Amino acid sequence: QVQLQESGPGLVKPSQTLSLTCTVSGGSITTAYYFWNWIRQPPGKGLEWMGSIGYNGGTAYSPSLKSRTSFSRDTSKNQFTLQLSSVTPEDTAGYFCAREVEVFGSRSGVDYWGKGTLVTAPS
């Protein structure tokens, strides 16, 4: 059973960088053809895909967040990380990591989610 667990500070001051780590158990982040996503949900709003890092280390970013977002991974710890710079109160959200598989060249949707962590950037 694959499990994902987000970790990081729950409070980030405006203009600082938000850093979150997702620890994966029950499966390797380097196994083809899995992609490891970051998804967020502001209070009262819908889900927003932030981007992903793939089994081969390749990254993809949401165009709206690309200038502020960076993904990395530590394969020895089976972890991947999110950094979001220049945080504003609008970045207050529940942040989730999630696994997605690619089948015949197409993403098939998320099959495992972390429980999520609330990050607040106060005004």
Side-chain angles (χ1 to χ4, degrees), residues 87-110:
V87 165
T88 74
E90 286 67 41
D91 293 312
T92 294
Y95 286 78
F96 300 86
C97 55
R99 192 186 82 167
E100 189 175 17
V101 64
E102 182 180 272
V103 180
F104 299 119
S106 297
R107 301 284 188 95
S108 64
V110 171

Side-chain angles (χ1 to χ4, degrees), residues 10-119:
L11 187 67
V12 180
K13 294 181 180 179
S15 80
Q16 292 187 341
T17 295
L18 180 163
S19 294
L20 294 175
T21 296
C22 183
T23 302
V24 179
S25 59
S28 172
I29 63 172
T30 62
T31 299
Y33 295 90
Y34 292 112
F35 293 82
W36 305 91
N37 297 274
W38 287 101
I39 298 166
R40 70 180 183 177
Q41 185 172 30
K45 297 185 178 180
L47 296 170
E48 178 184 19
W49 178 77
M50 302 180 71
S52 64
I53 186 166
Y55 62 96
N56 56 1
T59 55
Y61 297 95
S62 166
S64 64
L65 295 170
K66 185 175 182 178
S67 64
R68 300 195 291 130
T69 309
S70 177
F71 303 135
S72 61
R73 65 180 187 171
D74 185 335
T75 57
S76 67
K77 295 181 180 179
N78 217 35
Q79 296 175 332
F80 59 103
T81 63
L82 159 70
Q83 289 196 314
L84 180 68
S85 64
S86 304
V87 165
T88 74
E90 286 67 41
D91 293 312
T92 294
Y95 286 78
F96 300 86
C97 55
R99 192 186 82 167
E100 189 175 17
V101 64
E102 182 180 272
V103 180
F104 299 119
S106 297
R107 301 284 188 95
S108 64
V110 171
D111 57 358
Y112 288 100
W113 291 82
K115 293 181 179 180
T117 186
L118 177 64
V119 178

